[in-house]
Amino acid sequence: MPKKGKGDDKKAAAEDVFDPVSVETKSAMTAILLLDSPEPEVQSKACEGIYKFAYKCEENRRVLLENGAIEGLMKLLTVEDKAIKRNALMALATMTHSPDVRRHLRTNRDDAVSAFLKLLNPEEFVTTHEFTALALSNMAKEFASIPAIVENKGLELLLEVMQEDDPDVQKNAVECIALLMQDFEAKGSMKDSSGLETLLQLLESEYAIIQQLALQSLIRASQEASNRGLLRELNALRVFVNILGKPELHDLHVLALHVISNCADEPDNLQQLKENGGLPRLVAFIADRPAPPEEALPDAAGKGGKDAKGKGGGGAAAAKAKGSAKKKKGEDDSKDADVAPPQTQPDVKMHAARAIARAAKSNDGKRILHDCNAEALLVQLLTHEEDRVRVAAAQAIAVMGENFLCQEAVLAAGGLEQLVKILRLDNRQLKESSSLAIANLTTANLPICTVVANANHGLENVLGCLRHDSEYAVSNGLATLINMSADESLRQRVLDIGFVSALLTPLGSRSAMAQLKATQAVSAYIRQPAPRKEFREAGGLDLLAPLLRSSTDEVRRAAAIAVSLLLVDRETSVEFYRIGGLEILQELNSSETKRSPYTEAAEAGLLGNNISLKYALSGKLAVTDRVPDLFYDVGQVRPGEKLAPLETYCAQPVNTRRAVLLINVQPAEETRTSENQQQDREVGTPNGRSRIKSKSKSSNGSLGQADAPEKPAFSLPEDQNLKSYIDTAQSLMRECSNPREQILLLAKFVSDRMGGPIEHGQLMKFSYELPISQLKYSLQSNVIPMGLINAGIHYHRALLFKFLADRAGIDCTLVRGQLNRAWNEVWLTECDGARKYPPSEYVIDLINQPGKLYRRDSIEAANYKKC
């Protein structure tokens, strides 16, 4: 029997305790299972193993997700043991580098964000804060997670831990804040949370990544107006300008310029920069000139001693895993510590020019920048070797060029010559920006227009923009040419170098922007007969007419204006009718939404300059519609039919249809070949030229097809009688001054020439068709001159009366009725020898009692229209 010795009681007690066992596992699945162990040490070791496994690659993180590691790790975030929480968080934060993990947490664990934020408690380890900020930063990469962080006061908690001395904590926290600044509510919370002051303090950090992330946060925060105001109150703008003055901070220059650009949206900020010397330093920096002495950066507040409690246990690996902030400036950049690398300078200058452009959007901004002579420095940048710098400079000049004082400053600095030179280059962005700058500089400034035109290849370069494939370059070039059109001599110079042919390209463009400017250019340049003829014969009307149906209101309106200005001569009106322009205008004028004074004016102009067409369509000529030479009446045109040109009717073989009545007073020897020579000399008779010659004479064109190639001439029957009718009518008017008597004399004269009076009820017995048929046969033409007709009824007599009345100075209308009826109406203020106002309207009898007047609303007038 064994003896009991000393210590036997302890041995007996140890028999109830499991002896420690060291377990080594090489499977992540096993480590995941160990997360549920009741022993803290096992849990801690399992978390460390999972962390190292997750750190290695994305595939490992996906394996952990698929095997449920997240659920076990999330449970450990709520235990009391800070070391376990830290290690679990390290593993979980490292896993959040995976988009799949982030998506899982967002969709399946609504409590993930709140659980992370609780670990920002000041009592937790610094390493815990570091990895919590890392986890939140990764989660914020998914925009859908940002609202949850903001709603749970994540911004305020991150700003608090960001004030810790540990650079890794600062780096992760500020990176998360930079992502949170994408949210509108988060931007608004920065002012109330004193976040801007904290970010400004981080600009003093010795670590480049922290400074860059702080600036990125400030860029997004300064997009909010309230934050821009607070930065002004903090006098922080000079901080960013001072950064620009330090070559060793070259990697921060572009970011600082972004903040300045945002703040410059408000003139008050720009004014502060001017007053504290920041703006002159900024401008000098762009121009590579010595700048005034820089302001000292403010000392950051709240810096305390570093508390490294809990640091370790994977801290070094954590720094490696997330890209530690602990890389001091100059460690790997000793050669470039004092001078900014040359390759970064163009980017900085480009962003600086963009900052000026943004600041110049307001009138106050332009004034402040002008006071600092910013225009001269931008002109200097136009000579930079980098295209992107020149583009930014030209864009800034374009914005500045909206102000007259800035226009003059650019001109004085020689900017126009540089811009015109740049305009010749093939670079698309350069052409767009320089053409915009020239367009803005020439707006309402004829002296600058002249400078551009007189520059070497100035007009040619601007005109070349019209053929470019960029709609912006085309529109800008057209805008410049429109500005020049205000000067008659410049307008003619532009026309002389081929403007009309160049204009066809943008007119046919699919770009609404180019179409708009092109139609405006038509209104500006196609005013005189010569360019109008060139435009017509080049097919410009064919390109302009479809724009009347544009779905863009501005284009449709501009096209209507252009058409209304073009339709001032007969040839253009005839051609526009031929290509279907009248149908388009009628369609627009029948629409409540598309009708405008310009479409109505265009339709009136088309018909007013083609009286034959107007009478054929409407059956009525007003007092102001003077019957012109070479007017022809074919009767009422049926719906869907088109009025053919006069030469078409002349070329037809003799037929049994109604004769075409022709007004032709041209001498047999006269040939009209010029648009100017064919202008009717009487008021209200805007005739165009006619290419039709009198009988036995040839013509070199067509009235209805003004842009068609030359065709064989056709003959018009001579009308010697009509000329004598005019002389006789004018002589009769000189015999008396009483309007009633003048009408009576002229009516009797017309009746006598057309077969005399016809008694009531005898019209059917009046033979007029046989004499007209004999004329058609003798002339071998369906076109009959009015002066050759000696037996006519209503429509013959009414047309002759209207024509002679127009020449004799009697105002009257011509109205077509039914069944070959037509009549004339006049306004008279005399009644029984006394003046009576308002004037009364009368119908003139040319059939039964020539010269008798019937009140328009009387039974006699109604009977006359039907007799």
Side-chain angles (χ1 to χ4, degrees), residues 253-268:
H253 287 171
V254 171
L255 296 174
L257 281 168
H258 272 300
V259 183
I260 294 173
S261 179
N262 289 345
C263 293
D265 275 350
E266 299 185 10
D268 290 342

Side-chain angles (χ1 to χ4, degrees), residues 762-814:
Q762 300 300 312
L763 184 62
M764 297 298 294
K765 298 180 180 180
F766 183 76
S767 177
Y768 71 94
E769 294 179 339
L770 180 59
I772 291 179
S773 296
Q774 292 173 340
L775 281 173
K776 291 171 65 176
Y777 178 77
S778 63
L779 295 172
Q780 285 298 297
S781 174
N782 294 311
V783 179
I784 306 300
M786 284 296 300
L788 300 184
I789 300 175
N790 54 23
I793 57 172
H794 294 75
Y795 72 94
H796 304 101
R797 300 185 183 199
L799 174 57
L800 182 58
F801 185 89
K802 169 65 174 171
F803 172 72
L804 295 177
D806 288 345
R807 299 306 184 275
I810 297 176
D811 293 335
C812 75
T813 67
L814 173 62

Side-chain angles (χ1 to χ4, degrees), residues 661-680:
L661 305 182
L662 172 66
I663 300 292
N664 177 23
V665 293
Q666 293 185 76
E669 70 279 0
E670 181 177 351
T671 302
R672 303 187 180 189
T673 59
S674 155
E675 192 167 349
N676 293 331
Q677 292 173 340
Q678 181 54 30
Q679 294 296 327
D680 192 295

Side-chain angles (χ1 to χ4, degrees), residues 377-548:
L377 300 174
L378 291 171
V379 170
Q380 179 181 338
L381 289 184
L382 291 177
T383 62
H384 197 277
E385 60 185 4
E386 290 281 350
D387 287 347
R388 50 187 168 165
V389 176
R390 288 190 287 180
V391 168
Q395 290 172 341
I397 291 176
V399 179
M400 296 281 287
E402 297 171 355
N403 178 277
F404 178 77
L405 292 177
C406 297
Q407 290 175 349
E408 297 301 307
V410 173
L411 175 62
L416 269 301
E417 292 79 1
Q418 290 296 331
L419 289 169
V420 170
K421 187 183 300 183
I422 291 174
L423 206 57
R424 300 185 63 182
L425 303 178
D426 293 332
N427 184 292
R428 183 188 184 93
Q429 289 185 322
L430 274 176
K431 190 175 288 288
E432 291 176 351
S433 58
S434 59
S435 61
L436 176 61
I438 294 175
N440 289 352
L441 290 169
T442 54
T443 300
N445 197 322
L446 285 179
I448 289 185
C449 290
T450 303
V451 171
V452 173
N454 293 336
N456 187 25
H457 299 292
L459 288 179
E460 292 79 359
N461 292 350
V462 174
L463 194 65
C465 292
L466 274 59
R467 299 184 176 91
H468 200 267
D469 59 356
S470 166
E471 61 178 335
Y472 298 101
V474 171
S475 300
N476 296 336
L478 285 167
T480 300
L481 295 172
I482 292 171
N483 294 336
M484 291 181 177
S485 68
D487 183 271
E488 184 176 355
S489 62
L490 290 179
R491 185 167 66 245
Q492 189 57 50
R493 288 175 60 184
V494 172
L495 289 169
D496 290 342
I497 62 173
F499 170 75
V500 173
S501 61
L503 181 60
L504 300 181
T505 300
L507 269 179
S509 170
R510 294 184 178 181
S511 165
M513 183 189 307
Q515 292 172 350
L516 175 61
K517 287 300 179 181
T519 52
Q520 292 174 345
V522 171
S523 301
Y525 279 89
I526 315 300
R527 297 180 177 182
Q528 300 302 319
R532 194 159 53 240
K533 175 186 176 184
E534 182 182 357
F535 182 76
R536 184 176 65 244
E537 295 181 347
L541 293 176
D542 297 88
L543 297 172
L544 181 61
L547 298 184
L548 291 169

